[in-house]
Amino acid sequence: MSTRRKPRVGLALGSGSARGWAHVGVIRALEEAGIRPDLVCGTSIGALVGAAYVAGELPSFEKWLLGLGIRDVLALLDVRLNGGMIKGERLMEFFRRNFIDRPIEELPMPYAAVATDLNSGIEVWLRQGSTMAAVRASIALPALFSPAVHEGRVLVDGALVNPVPVSLARAMGADIVIAVDLSSDILGRRQRAEPEHEAPVAEVSEWRRKLQERLGTLMPARADDGEPRLPSILEVVATSINIMQVRVTRSRMAGDPPDAIITPRLAHLGLLDFHRAKEAIEAGERAVEAALPGLNTLFGHSR
């Protein structure tokens, strides 16, 4: 008499820029609930957090995130206007210094990242070679991070074609796919390029001043009442990207739905609010708590 094979669980981590730190809370809460994936794939910031998790670096990665302040984020923004406002090399150099870059094939758990071929528009699945190179290509958000050259291709953010890579998790052999969608609640909410009021006023002002210096006319001067006359180019780009991600995600998941979906509430976080990791991580934990009844039913039927 044959024994029933244990279903393989895939975790598909979605895109969302600074909202992506919520993935840390999601992963930790899933493990605390006894749900550990057998494979992980991610798009953009999901590829970055997923790589840290698969490599066994998530605790030290989270510690670094929680120590990020506004000045630290600014130090990582090597702003330029050739290919992207943020070159991204400072960020990736930090990871190269602090985390071991192993080939994807040698990671202790199956892993893959999604990118987009800028010339053809083809979805690219990065499943071998340098983990950091795969992450760098996957996070190359158009107009913000400059493109990455990878194996002769010019690659940009995978969110253009597959913001929540359920299909990739299936292709990697997942029987059950848990998807994490970071953009479910962002439409209809005005996005900000600077942090919200929770930060000290002086610190927020310093953030805006320095970001204006680096982005020049890409951010508008404020009117006398403290409100910008019109959204900045950065805000327009951010909101446009959000709209695109939501629409593409809905379309892709309608055709290939996950078995479970976790949706942290993150509309209050702006595109570059990387220093607000604590809020994002806690939102990820709360989202898992809300999804636990469905997850318990799913795994009760499957295991």
Side-chain angles (χ1 to χ4, degrees):
M1 182 176 178
S2 62
T3 58
R4 184 180 180 184
R5 180 178 68 86
K6 179 182 176 182
R8 298 189 77 203
V9 179
L11 184 61
L13 303 177
S15 59
S17 193
R19 296 188 296 273
W21 300 154
H23 288 313
V24 176
V26 167
I27 291 168
R28 187 169 62 233
L30 285 174
E31 289 204 331
E32 289 175 354
I35 301 170
R36 182 176 174 82
D38 299 295
L39 59 92
V40 176
C41 60
T43 297
S44 193
I45 198 72
L48 175 58
V49 177
Y53 174 52
V54 169
E57 302 279 3
L58 199 62
S60 57
F61 182 64
E62 180 178 3
K63 182 178 179 181
W64 175 72
L65 293 182
L66 292 173
L68 276 179
I70 288 178
R71 290 176 178 82
D72 300 305
V73 175
L74 283 166
L76 293 172
L77 303 185
D78 42 349
V79 176
R80 67 177 190 173
L81 297 180
N82 180 16
M85 289 191 285
I86 304 168
K87 186 179 179 184
E89 298 312 318
R90 290 183 186 173
L91 179 63
M92 297 313 298
E93 181 56 33
F94 169 84
F95 287 107
R96 291 188 188 99
R97 289 196 312 268
N98 291 274
F99 302 99
I100 298 172
D101 182 15
R102 282 182 280 178
I104 292 174
E105 305 93 312
E106 297 179 11
L107 292 171
M109 187 189 302
Y111 167 82
V114 181
T116 304
D117 187 310
L118 187 61
N119 295 316
S120 67
I122 292 174
E123 180 177 344
V124 178
W125 292 349
L126 302 169
R127 302 179 64 175
Q128 60 185 15
S130 164
T131 302
M132 283 296 98
V135 169
R136 175 65 184 87
S138 189
I139 67 169
L141 196 62
L144 291 176
F145 284 88
S146 57
V149 178
H150 184 79
E151 297 181 352
R153 285 173 150 175
V154 179
L155 301 181
V156 294
D157 199 312
L160 293 178
V161 291
N162 200 352
V164 185
V166 175
S167 56
L168 175 52
R170 301 271 188 216
M172 293 170 70
D175 301 302
I176 296 174
V177 177
I178 301 173
V180 184
D181 181 6
L182 304 177
S183 304
S184 64
D185 68 331
I186 59 175
L187 292 190
R189 295 287 299 274
R190 183 169 183 178
Q191 301 301 305
R192 293 172 175 259
E194 74 279 5
E196 299 274 352
H197 62 274
E198 286 87 345
V201 174
E203 199 168 313
V204 171
S205 299
E206 182 70 2
W207 162 267
R208 168 167 280 276
R209 185 185 66 78
K210 289 187 177 181
L211 201 55
Q212 280 179 320
E213 287 176 359
R214 297 192 182 196
L215 300 183
T217 58
L218 295 175
M219 293 184 69
R222 284 190 174 277
D224 293 338
D225 61 0
E227 291 296 322
R229 296 184 180 88
L230 287 173
S232 68
I233 293 177
L234 181 58
E235 290 169 322
V236 171
V237 167
T239 304
S240 299
I241 289 170
N242 287 337
I243 293 170
M244 174 205 70
Q245 289 185 4
V246 170
R247 299 302 183 191
V248 174
T249 297
R250 289 176 181 173
S251 176
R252 293 295 299 256
M253 288 204 293
D256 191 3
D259 298 282
I261 185 166
I262 297 170
T263 55
R265 311 300 289 178
L266 298 162
H268 61 290
L269 293 182
L271 191 74
L272 297 179
D273 283 346
F274 292 104
H275 58 290
R276 299 174 68 185
K278 186 174 185 292
E279 296 171 60
I281 291 170
E282 290 174 351
E285 293 171 335
R286 289 193 297 270
V288 172
E289 290 174 7
L292 269 182
L295 289 168
N296 289 333
T297 300
L298 174 65
F299 285 102
H301 290 168
S302 302
R303 291 189 169 183

